[in-house]
Amino acid sequence: MNLTDILKNEIRDIPDFPKEGIIFKDITPILLKPAICEQIVDHILNEIKQPFDCIVGIESRGFLLGMPIAIKAKVPFVPARKKGKLPGETESYSYTLEYGEATLEIHKGHIKKGAKVLIHDDLLATGGTALATSKIVQKLGAEVVGFSFLVQLSFLNGVDTLKNVSSNFYKIIEY
Ligand code: AMP
């Protein structure tokens, strides 16, 4: 089986979570299988063509594979977290969600000015979260050189939201 089929087998659809009408793509069964996780890390690193010198993972599922990808690529990993979670001084960006607002933060001083940053998350839906993360990276004087996701919900057109930041976009499976 190729990796796409393996992931389609493992990822569970949870209907009406966290609210009615949403089909939540649960990636946690993948984490039970270290050999599959290793394959994902190798696959993503193999696909990415342009150099990067830092990975920013988005809270919280972007940490799960973002960190092992960074370890294997031998680059720093920097978490983008929800407001109020990071203890040090942060740069932040607020954005609109379907209901209300959200703010993401990154520690100041953890991304070097001019660094080439790859943004990683488990899933791309509308792209709002990844775009907000890009804005913080840019405020910190670094450059977003690409995005990687395990899953893309293509009917939500997230790639269009991100294309002005970087057209380097990697995903393993698409629904
Ligand atoms: P968006 O900002 O719309 O691209 O939403 C992406 C963020 O929300 C990611 O951090 C995902 O983990 C999460 N997310 C959105 N929709 C889903 C879904 N259907 N299943 C799992 N996670 C989702």
Side-chain angles (χ1 to χ4, degrees):
M1 240 194 308
N2 64 31
L3 188 58
T4 311
D5 293 333
I6 292 171
L7 294 196
K8 285 205 165 163
N9 261 340
E10 297 294 337
I11 293 171
R12 297 191 296 188
D13 280 2
I14 312 278
D16 299 324
F17 183 89
K19 56 180 189 238
E20 224 178 303
I22 305 276
I23 299 175
F24 190 86
K25 299 286 181 192
D26 178 26
I27 65 153
T28 59
I30 294 171
L31 306 177
L32 304 175
K33 306 209 169 145
I36 297 179
C37 294
E38 194 171 26
Q39 248 182 294
I40 292 169
V41 169
D42 290 343
H43 178 86
I44 288 176
L45 288 175
N46 218 14
E47 289 288 302
I48 293 170
K49 298 296 173 241
Q50 69 291 331
F52 59 93
D53 38 36
C54 174
I55 293 182
V56 170
I58 303 177
E59 179 166 355
S60 58
R61 291 176 297 277
F63 302 164
L64 300 170
L65 287 151
M67 182 68 201
I69 294 167
I71 292 171
K72 191 122 192 199
K74 296 186 167 34
V75 299
F77 176 83
V78 177
R81 298 212 62 185
K82 289 172 188 152
K83 189 181 170 63
K85 301 283 185 185
L86 289 171
E89 204 188 332
T90 61
E91 188 59 81
S92 68
Y93 189 83
S94 298
Y95 61 111
T96 311
L97 294 171
E98 205 178 339
Y99 301 108
E101 267 217 336
T103 302
L104 286 174
E105 298 183 326
I106 292 177
H107 268 145
K108 279 188 178 165
H110 285 188
I111 301 178
K112 287 196 181 127
K113 281 203 187 344
K116 293 183 188 311
V117 173
L118 177 76
I119 292 178
H120 174 82
D121 203 356
D122 66 327
L123 181 142
L124 175 69
T126 64
T129 310
L131 183 66
T133 307
S134 306
K135 300 281 186 196
I136 308 174
V137 169
Q138 290 167 340
K139 277 183 172 184
L140 291 168
E143 183 194 355
V144 177
V145 295
F147 297 94
S148 80
F149 303 91
L150 304 189
V151 181
Q152 175 194 8
L153 301 182
S154 41
F155 56 93
L156 292 173
N157 299 321
V159 178
D160 282 350
T161 307
L162 302 179
K163 69 176 183 231
N164 288 337
V165 178
S166 170
S167 55
N168 296 317
F169 167 81
Y170 307 93
K171 53 101 205 322
I172 303 177
I173 60 174
E174 177 175 349
Y175 293 94

